[in-house]
Amino acid sequence: ICLFGIDPMWDVGHGWYPTNAVIDSGSAGTSVQWTGVEAGRVDANGTATELHLSWALVRGLDTNGCSGGPRSDLVANDLNSSVLDANDWNPWAQAPAASPRFVLEMNHVEVYRGASTSFTVPLPPSDSGRYFFRVGRLRAGWSGGVDDASLVLPVRSAEPLFDFPYNATADVCERMRMLQARPVSSLSGYI
C-alpha cells in the first residue's frame, strides 16, 4: 500500500521515469501495404477534414501485376471498389471466412475494423494538423491480435499531405511504391 505524500517517490523530481525507447514504425517488408491516400472534404482554409485511405495484402498486389510487372486494371478496381464511410462502420459485421479482417488506427486510436481495404476517416481538429495511420491484418481464430501491420504513415491535413514524393493520381502500383518508400525522417514531429 502506498500513501500519497509519505513516500518520496511521489514528490516532484523523484521516482521512476520511463527510459527512451524506439517506436516500431513498421517495415517495408510487411504483408499489408498502403495503396492510396487522398484528401476528401476540404474546408475554406484548404485543410482536409477527411482522408480516403486504402491498403492491400502483398499477395493480392503481386498476383495482379504490382511486383514490378504491368499494372492490372483488375487490381485497381478491386482495391478502390469499396470505400466505406465512418457511418458505415460496424464492429460486429461478419466477413466471409476467407476474407482477411483489418484494423485501422489513427494516432493510436482504432477508427475501423472490418474486411474492407479502404476507409474514409473524418479528421478531428488538431493544432498541428498532423496525423499518423497504421493498418494491421487481424489474426483469425481465438488468439486475436494483429498478425502484421503496415508502415506508420504520417499525413498532414494541409497540402502537401506528405513530406516525401507522392502522386495521388498515379496508378495503384506506383502509389504503393511511393508510400512504401516513405523515409524514416518523415516521422519527425509525429511520433
Side-chain angles (χ1 to χ4, degrees), residues 113-149:
R113 182 179 291 249
S116 181
T117 56
S118 60
F119 191 70
T120 299
V121 180
L123 297 176
S126 165
D127 291 338
S128 70
R130 296 175 179 216
Y131 304 89
F132 55 94
F133 295 90
R134 194 165 199 187
V135 65
R137 181 171 48 101
L138 293 171
R139 201 173 285 130
W142 291 98
S143 59
V146 173
D147 259 343
D148 58 349

Side-chain angles (χ1 to χ4, degrees), residues 17 19 23 27 35 43 55 67 78 89-90 103 113 116 136 143-145 150 153 162-163 165 170 179:
Y17 289 95
T19 58
I23 295 175
S27 81
T35 58
D43 66 15
W55 57 90
S67 60
D78 184 46
W89 181 61
N90 179 354
V103 60
R113 182 179 291 249
S116 181
S143 59
S150 68
L153 196 60
F162 301 106
D163 65 352
L179 293 169

Side-chain angles (χ1 to χ4, degrees), residues 66 71 166-167 170-179:
C66 280
R71 177 182 165 259
Y166 179 72
N167 177 0
D171 71 31
V172 68
C173 299
E174 188 57 31
R175 289 192 319 257
M176 182 264 306
R177 288 186 191 101
M178 287 183 272
L179 293 169

